[in-house]
Every structure is written in C-alpha cells, then in structure tokens.
Amino acid sequence: MATTPEQGNKAVRALAYPFPDGHRLDVPPQFAELRAKCPVQRVELPYGGAGWLVTRQAEVKTVLGDSRFSRAASVQADIPRTQEWPNPGGDILSLDPPEHARVRRLISGAFSRRNIERWRPRIEELVGEMVAGMRTAGSPVDLVDSLSMPLPITVICEMLGVPAADQHFFRRFSELVFSGAGVPAEDVEAATDALMSYLAEHIARHRAEPRDDLLSELIAARDEDESRLSEEELVTLGVTILAAGHETTANAIANSVLTLLAEDLWTSMARHPERVGTAVEELLRFIPLGGSESLPRIATEDVTLGGVTVRAGEAVFPAMVSANFDENVFADPQTLDLDRAHNPHLAFGFGPHFCPGAQLARTEIRTALAALLREFPDLRLAVPLTELPWREATALIRGPRHLPVAWHH
Ligand code: HEM
C-alpha cells in the first residue's frame, strides 16, 4: 500500500547523502540495502535540504524518462544539491523536452552510429600509433598519459575541429569542471570561463573560415536560424562536448584496464578477443564511473514512485550506479561476468538525455582494449594496487590519475 505523504514522507528518517563512497571503484553498500528495503529513500543533501534517492532500475528509468520529472526546474533553484552553487543552466542537460530536442537534434547526426562508423578507421589508426608509442617507450609506461587520455581527447578535438595540441590547457580546466563538491565554486567558475573563452575564440575563427567539422556545422545552424541556438548555447555546447567527450571515456578506458588486471581477467580475455564487445558492456555496468552522484530531477506534480508520494517541487536523485546492480534485472549482479548476455545497464543514462556520445565511447573503449589485449597479452600493474594515485575523492568522474603498466614481451 502506498503511504500517504504525511505518513510516509515524515515517518522516514532522511539519510545523509551522498554516501561517503571514497574515491576508488567501490559501490556504496547502502545501495543494495535501499533496493531491498526502501527503493525511494528520503535523503538530506549538504545544501538545499532534503530530496529522494531512487535506487531500483524500474523507478530510476521512470525518473529519467517521465516528463513529470524536470531538469529545467533545477536551474538557478535552491534545490537539494551536493554543490554550494545552484545549477547555472544554459547547457543541454538543463533543458526539458520539447525545448531539449531543438539542441539535441543539432548534434545527433555527428554522433550517430553511421557517422561514428566513419570515424572507426581513424580511431584504430590513433590506437595503433599510441600502442606503438608504448612499445617504443618500453615497459613500464603510464597508460593514462600514453593512451587512455590522449585517445578520446584527440578524437573529440578532431571531430569538433579544435587543435589536439591544446589539450594540456583544456585537460586541466575540464577536470575542474567535473571536480564536484571538493573544489571552491570560484575555481569551477574560473575554469568554465576559461573553457568558454577558448571555445568562443575557435568559433570566431571557424566563422571566418568554415571547415568540415562539427563546430562549423553548429555555427552554420546558429547563423542560418538564430532560433535554433543562441550564441551562448553554441559556446556552451562546444564546451560540453569537449569536456564530456574525453573525461568520461578516458577514465572508462583506464578503469576497464585496471579492473581486468585487478580481477585477474586480463590473460583469459587476451585469449578470446572476440569477447571484447560483450566484456565492454559488462565493464560499463560494473564500474561506477560517476560514483554514487547523479543529476537531480524536480517533480513538476505529485507523483507516486516506489510506494511514496514525491511532491511537486521536490528533488529526486536517480542512482544509475545502483540501478546497474539491481537484482530484479541482472542475474548475480555483484559478479563481473564478461560473458553476460542480458545486460540492459544504464551507464549511459536513459530517456531524452541518454548519452549522445555512447556509440563513440563504445567504439573507443572497444578499440583500445582490443589493441592492448592483442599487443600486451601479459600486461600487469607496475605498482601495487594500493599505491595507485587516484583523482580527487569528490570528482564527479572517478579513475586513477596514473596507471603504470608493465609487460615482458
Ligand atoms: C564511457 C563514456 C561515457 C559515459 C559513461 C557517459 C555517460 C553519460 C550519462 C549517464 C549521461 C546522462 C546524464 C543524465 O541524464 O543525468 C550522459 C549525457 C551526455 N553525454 Fe555522455 N557519457 C560518456 C561519453 C560521452 C562522450 C564521448 C560524449 C561526447 C560527445 C558525451 C556527451 C554527452 C552529452 C552532450 C550529454 C548530455 C545529453 C543531453 O542532455 O541530451 N558523453 N552521458
């Protein structure tokens, strides 16, 4: 029986959220408990009060896919949040349908399956060069510096049409943008401004001299019909693609290699390269790249969800990481099963904001893993697991800062 708002929403004690889940790739144990006992849990955030944490896949999909839950309503609002500052908005993730589709349509062609297939040879070529570079450098090398970071950066720069040679500049700033609650608001704001000016400069150059790249395409869309994209939206979209296009995939590659090595699965994978596609889906499900945090949605009307009533105006946090371990969806979810056949994970989200870069990310991760398994079948960690340097504990995207690896042959 669904509890009334008065009974249910007041009777339950709010848990402090986010959970202190450290900075490694472990999943907070509270998720399993909540899925079993209280799939829509009252939680207290560091700023803006209390909201709801949603932990089972069915309800997470409702929050992500149902138009009664809004991202736009989180803009500039004093809603429960992990960061001191409210969501400034202006980006694609802060728009609701049908408005959202106006911006989304502009990038869907560039990241479509067909277009990413056109990029595959270039991705393979880059991976080949980087793996050859690792051989030349000799064992041991840092996988982050030699492959997992430069690969997605180079690809997204070439797609957008900005020089990959600038990566040392924007790598630092995009890491700050994804830094989460651990960094002062002014630093994140300064980093965002620096990336915005950088993109604005390139937009001016591309306007003067259009080329065959995504930035020129977006500029043309904006200049042909200003109702499709404002100038600020154009710049912000460029920054989002540049930052989201590499931080995520880079850490996903490093985390995947690390997990296969740490779980002693590298050698058996190297013997069966045909398993890479299925294995990558399982690694995406199993590794909590984004930690336990997720972007809140605001209920636009009262909604009954998982037995409680979420009131209009309340914030709801869809825990995609928890949904990826839902016992109702996945057989033996705590096991990393590289041959898992049925794997409807939510690593790329769900609904209107489903990651447009999913196909690109998959292609990069698969190509990188396949080449590393082929070239270095005896790869191993060059330092003990406990000595790996990690990104900040509060980072919105988790992964090792460096990943020293070694090989014999
Ligand atoms: C392993 C790599 C990646 C993962 C795990 C990932 C994950 C996600 C997730 C979970 C969302 C939805 C967030 C939400 O609804 O709250 C998302 C959205 C998005 N991602 Fe990715 N992503 C990855 C790679 C990429 C790449 C390569 C790009 C390059 C373009 C990209 C661009 C975006 C953008 C622009 C959005 C917002 C889409 C919208 O609001 O319509 N991502 N991503």
Side-chain angles (χ1 to χ4, degrees), residues 1 92 188 198 393:
M1 190 187 82
I92 184 168
V188 175
Y198 175 79

Side-chain angles (χ1 to χ4, degrees), residues 92-93 100 104 111 244-245 248-249 252 289 297 347-349 353 355-357 361:
I92 184 168
L93 265 161
H100 169 258
R104 176 83 181 210
F111 294 104
T248 45
T249 312
L289 180 70
R297 269 69 176 172
F348 291 113
H353 296 284
C355 179

